Amino acid sequence: MVFLFCVGVSGYVFMLPTAWDDSFILSCLYLPFFLWCAYGMIRLGDEWRSEKARIEYLRFFGEMIIHAGLFFVGGGVLLGLTFGLFELLNLPTRWVMEYVALYGLAAIPIVAMWATDMYSAARRMVPLLARIFSPLLLLLIVSYMIAMALNIEELFQERSTLLLYNVLLLCVLGTAVFTLTGRREYGEQKIVKAVLSCMLVATLLLDVLGVIAIVWRMYEYDHGLTANRLAVLGSNLMVLGNLAVMCKGCLKSWKGGGSLDAVERGVAKYLPAYSVWTMFMVFLVPWIYRY
């Protein structure tokens, strides 16, 4: 059922006229995110409304990423050895990259999901990595804010800077979510809560500035709300809402009026918003900007 659903949605996207250019590309880019949301609903079944089940799906996804990374590194080493040994014998090596590497790369997510379901070896690794990189990301964010204060015009003028800026926001959001959902593996420590809160507040400020920069570029260059600008602006607003929910819960926890469990539930409640946004980008945007 899952396979047929993925094939059907993918077929719809690739039947869209390529002449629609930006709309077609955006649909292809957002398709994996939509399939991720759809797979989550199918996987959870009747429990898709459960906040606990949604958090478990996030944990599953984090563990799957770790497994996929391990398989990618291991497969890369194996392919490198195969390529090198066949080169030493002066035998054809083109098939290694054209067939083995290509199909192996496509199989990694499937094998990673199987490994996560069967062994779950990365259950303690995901929160550990998140806890390690949280302070490093916080240091990066603070350093970036200082550098940005000295070169604020770059954010408003350079598209590449804004793109890298959005990647930073997504990395911080992912790290914060996995730190939050995996905190029970290592206990709730005040230093972890402090780093998480500071990171979320700083990132929220950065995201607000990013939204201002996007709106300013739209106004300054007078190109209107194109498909690309709609995608960037909408994605930033989605992340902004998620960060705001998490920041509110963390600050409330600091004041003693709540716990991190409430923050976790807030993240779970916010997940359907991503599903709606990806559906809009995949199924409606191509028809709104079809010319």
Side-chain angles (χ1 to χ4, degrees):
M1 179 180 177
V2 176
F3 175 76
L4 293 177
F5 176 81
C6 293
V7 170
V9 175
S10 302
Y12 158 77
V13 171
F14 286 103
M15 282 192 300
L16 293 175
T18 55
W20 292 359
D21 199 12
D22 290 344
S23 300
F24 174 76
I25 294 174
L26 285 173
S27 294
C28 293
L29 290 176
Y30 274 87
L31 179 61
F33 298 101
F34 170 74
L35 293 177
W36 177 78
C37 296
Y39 176 71
M41 293 189 65
I42 295 172
R43 180 183 178 87
L44 297 180
D46 295 337
E47 295 184 344
W48 70 272
R49 293 184 179 86
S50 170
E51 297 167 2
K52 183 178 179 181
R54 292 177 186 175
I55 293 299
E56 283 300 322
Y57 179 61
L58 289 178
R59 288 175 182 164
F60 164 81
F61 183 68
E63 294 170 25
M64 192 200 76
I65 291 177
I66 298 298
H67 285 130
L70 293 174
F71 289 138
F72 180 80
V73 173
V77 172
L78 180 61
L79 285 175
L81 290 174
T82 304
F83 189 88
L85 290 174
F86 275 76
E87 278 282 328
L88 290 175
L89 298 175
N90 293 320
L91 294 175
T93 55
R94 186 176 178 181
W95 59 273
V96 176
M97 295 302 170
E98 288 188 354
Y99 297 101
V100 180
L102 182 62
Y103 289 106
L105 186 64
I108 283 179
I110 300 174
V111 179
M113 285 191 289
W114 170 81
T116 304
D117 280 329
M118 294 298 295
Y119 299 104
S120 191
R123 177 164 290 273
R124 293 179 62 86
M125 192 179 298
V126 174
L128 175 62
L129 290 175
R131 286 161 63 92
I132 291 174
F133 283 98
S134 291
L136 297 177
L137 275 174
L138 176 60
L139 180 62
L140 173 62
I141 293 169
V142 173
S143 302
Y144 182 76
M145 292 178 73
I146 296 173
M148 187 174 58
L150 301 175
N151 301 276
I152 189 65
E153 68 278 358
E154 291 292 326
L155 182 63
F156 287 83
Q157 295 178 1
E158 295 294 332
R159 180 182 297 181
S160 58
T161 303
L162 194 59
L163 178 62
L164 185 60
Y165 182 87
N166 289 324
V167 173
L168 172 64
L169 293 178
L170 292 176
C171 290
V172 172
L173 178 61
T175 303
V177 170
F178 290 131
T179 301
L180 180 65
T181 58
R183 71 190 186 281
R184 293 185 181 86
E185 296 290 337
Y186 296 93
E188 294 189 18
Q189 300 177 359
K190 290 185 178 181
I191 184 64
V192 175
K193 185 185 293 188
V195 171
L196 180 63
S197 300
C198 293
M199 184 172 65
L200 287 172
V201 172
T203 309
L204 180 64
L205 295 176
L206 284 178
D207 200 7
V208 170
L209 185 58
V211 171
I212 294 174
I214 295 170
V215 175
W216 182 86
R217 283 179 60 86
M218 292 169 53
Y219 174 78
E220 179 69 15
Y221 296 103
D222 195 27
H223 289 159
L225 190 62
T226 62
N228 288 330
R229 286 194 172 92
L230 174 63
V232 175
L233 179 60
S235 299
N236 272 265
L237 291 175
M238 293 297 301
V239 174
L240 180 64
N242 201 342
L243 290 170
V245 170
M246 296 178 71
C247 282
K248 180 180 178 181
C250 284
L251 294 177
K252 192 174 181 180
S253 175
W254 269 108
K255 295 179 181 179
S259 65
L260 291 181
D261 288 335
V263 184
E264 192 177 83
R265 289 193 296 271
V267 172
K269 291 178 180 178
Y270 196 83
L271 286 180
Y274 288 107
S275 300
V276 174
W277 172 245
T278 54
M279 288 177 63
F280 174 75
M281 291 302 301
V282 172
F283 296 107
L284 292 182
V285 165
W287 300 98
I288 296 175
Y289 294 93
R290 61 183 181 273
Y291 300 116

